[in-house]
Amino acid sequence: MAEAGGAEEISIVEVEPIQGRDLIFIEGFPDVGLVGAIASSYLVDRLEMREVGYIDAEFLPPLISVRNEQIKELIRIYHKNNIVAIVSDIPIPPHMIRPLSQSIVNWIKRKNGKLLISVSGIPEPNRLDIERPEVYVLGNKPEITEMLIKLNGVNRFKDGFIAGIKGMLLREAVRAELDAAIILAQAHYNYPDPGAAGQIVSYLSKILGVEVDVKPLFESAEELRLKLRDLMMRTDQVMRGIQKSRELELPPVYL
Amino acid sequence: MEEWRRSVWRRVLDEFRMVEAEVSRMEDELFRLMREAEERSGCMTPLYNLYESGDEVRLTADLPGASKEEIGLIAGEDYFRVEAPCRSPLRGGEGRRYVLHLRLPAKIDPKSVRARYKDGVLEVVAKKKVAGYRIKID
């Protein structure tokens, strides 16, 4: 099945049709500290989720990745039980952000998805002094935030900016009346941050009602950071094009 | 939307994409040159942030797989140099080194430099050198 996304041809292809009720979609496109990318890939790996599809678009770079002699799409879709994860090997080019977020939201809406969760990092200049990064949540309507805040140890995301595809997905979801949320952990802005991803994974596992051991993630953190240096560099370049640094600022208040 | 407006919009969008493609081409060239230099010399440039704020110059560098004892840090009046072996089993593996040589945006007092290495990140803070006359405000 393919989704035609306006000016930009975007196809969301289910090689194996994704079926099920109350599907929860998790998206981990690379941005701040690669927190979303690390957390979503780790979840896919630990839950042994099945690769069931991919997202392709006219203006994605002509690339494939090869892993273990297997040809992989750049943006892949995984599925297990009621969880669907979208994992990407590249940061989303700025001009693709709007059409892609529209396509994803439309697709989830058609699948009668229950919730779309974006996973990301919140840039924290004092990250070095923080042992356990705090987790922040924001729903696209108050009921969603209330539901997510019930779990202990998380904070509300009160004021700030959310740049890039995570912000656009939240906005498109509001417009399409799809329940959506973003979960963020304090992270290094442009260093891969498995520690922050670990906090997200343990929080997500509670929401999803699955058991995930995060210890291996912390143990292999240094190696992971080295492996992800290239992706972080590329992502940093893209983040500059979408005013990601605004996330360090507060929206103007006049009263 | 009217037809003419749509076509103008389309053209603006195409223009945008061309600029973006050009920028991305230049960036890619930069990555390639950096990568090639790294492969040839066995030295990796770590990810880093350098900025000056108030009377300080602050550097952080991501050095996963290094150790505190093996990091060599030299501070001059207008540069920082960081060298460290990278103990990682990855690509090329042993024998790789981190090397970062940075010219600073302002002169510093090398004696004021403080550094720490925590969770794989090196942080270096230096006080700016202040030389000048104090002026009375009328």
Side-chain angles (χ1 to χ4, degrees):
Chain A
M1 191 163 60
E3 167 77 23
E8 180 101 26
E9 252 344 285
I10 289 173
S11 332
I12 301 180
V13 181
E14 294 174 34
V15 179
E16 281 175 34
I18 300 170
Q19 276 154 356
R21 287 161 62 115
D22 294 339
L23 291 171
I24 295 179
F25 292 74
I26 296 163
E27 158 278 299
F29 290 111
D31 68 347
V32 174
L34 301 182
V35 173
I38 299 171
S40 56
S41 310
Y42 188 75
L43 216 57
V44 163
D45 184 63
R46 299 303 289 194
L47 297 179
E48 297 177 337
M49 294 175 76
R50 214 176 144 74
E51 192 179 332
V52 293
Y54 58 89
I55 300 180
D56 196 8
E58 198 185 331
F59 276 90
L60 277 179
L63 274 177
I64 52 153
S65 53
V66 181
R67 289 175 189 197
N68 248 341
E69 299 178 15
Q70 278 189 10
I71 292 168
K72 296 279 184 193
E73 296 282 343
L74 288 179
I75 307 175
R76 300 177 296 280
I77 301 169
Y78 294 85
H79 177 217
K80 187 175 183 181
N81 303 332
N82 69 330
I83 308 169
V84 180
I86 305 172
V87 174
S88 173
D89 284 349
I90 55 156
I92 302 307
H95 69 258
M96 249 188 75
I97 287 177
R98 280 164 199 269
L100 181 61
S101 39
Q102 272 167 14
S103 300
I104 290 176
V105 165
N106 290 342
W107 172 64
I108 295 176
K109 191 81 189 161
R110 273 208 320 273
K111 303 217 72 78
N112 258 328
K114 184 181 172 197
L115 183 64
L116 162 64
I117 301 176
S118 286
V119 176
S120 184
I122 190 166
E124 174 51 62
N126 294 317
R127 173 69 179 90
L128 214 51
D129 297 311
I130 294 169
E131 286 299 325
R132 236 179 102 99
E134 294 283 336
V135 173
Y136 291 82
V137 296
L138 172 72
N140 66 348
K141 33 182 214 211
E143 301 92 281
I144 307 289
T145 310
E146 292 313 319
M147 179 192 82
L148 293 171
I149 208 87
K150 266 194 222 143
L151 291 171
N152 286 338
V154 288
N155 308 278
R156 289 166 195 275
F157 183 93
K158 287 217 161 177
D159 302 286
F161 288 106
I162 299 170
I165 190 151
K166 322 270 169 182
M168 290 306 102
L169 279 171
L170 276 179
R171 187 174 72 178
E172 289 303 328
V174 172
R175 291 177 181 177
E177 295 180 358
L178 168 72
D179 290 350
I182 185 165
I183 301 176
L184 309 119
Q186 292 176 313
H188 288 295
Y189 180 71
N190 60 347
Y191 305 150
D193 200 331
Q199 297 302 328
I200 297 257
V201 172
S202 38
Y203 176 69
L204 265 182
S205 63
K206 287 181 212 155
I207 296 179
L208 299 171
V210 290
E211 267 194 43
V212 183
D213 181 11
V214 289
K215 251 220 266 55
L217 184 59
F218 294 121
E219 280 163 5
S220 61
E222 297 228 343
E223 195 181 319
L224 202 57
R225 278 162 54 192
L226 204 58
K227 278 188 198 161
L228 293 174
R229 187 180 67 128
D230 291 338
L231 176 60
M232 188 73 253
M233 260 193 278
R234 299 259 176 199
T235 304
D236 195 13
Q237 292 285 353
V238 171
M239 289 199 291
R240 281 175 214 182
I242 54 171
Q243 299 202 356
K244 199 72 184 167
S245 64
R246 286 232 176 186
E247 293 185 357
L248 289 157
E249 300 171 14
L250 280 176
V253 179
Y254 300 100
L255 287 172
Chain B
M1 219 183 329
E2 290 164 57
E3 201 48 51
W4 67 272
R5 228 185 258 182
R6 207 188 302 253
S7 82
V8 169
W9 183 235
R10 182 83 213 188
R11 243 179 287 161
V12 171
L13 224 63
D14 284 348
E15 202 70 26
F16 248 152
R17 279 189 186 139
M18 271 159 64
V19 174
E20 210 172 290
E22 181 60 18
V23 171
S24 139
R25 194 192 61 76
M26 289 191 301
E27 277 169 12
D28 207 64
E29 178 78 355
L30 216 67
F31 276 118
R32 181 183 69 81
L33 291 173
M34 193 195 82
R35 268 308 201 177
E36 282 188 1
E38 286 189 352
E39 288 303 321
R40 275 202 305 270
S41 64
C43 294
M44 284 191 289
T45 308
L47 299 170
Y48 71 91
N49 289 298
L50 176 73
Y51 45 96
E52 52 171 312
S53 69
D55 57 357
E56 281 179 350
V57 172
R58 190 177 287 262
L59 164 76
T60 64
D62 198 25
L63 304 173
S67 74
K68 192 171 114 182
E69 292 72 26
E70 292 179 309
I71 297 174
L73 169 66
I74 300 174
E77 258 194 353
D78 59 355
Y79 73 91
F80 284 146
R81 184 177 178 85
V82 181
E83 275 189 70
C86 168
R87 310 257 173 243
S88 157
L90 293 169
R91 242 203 255 174
E94 291 283 313
R96 279 190 164 258
R97 296 180 70 73
Y98 289 115
V99 178
L100 181 64
H101 189 108
L102 286 175
R103 196 153 284 278
L104 303 181
K107 283 209 166 155
I108 57 149
D109 175 7
K111 283 195 206 105
S112 72
V113 178
R114 297 279 171 275
R116 61 172 169 159
Y117 180 69
K118 199 180 166 225
D119 302 330
V121 177
L122 175 74
E123 184 187 50
V124 186
V125 186
K127 288 257 180 274
K128 282 187 199 168
K129 196 172 200 170
V130 185
Y133 297 98
R134 185 170 290 275
I135 311 293
K136 186 174 168 279
I137 311 293
D138 296 325

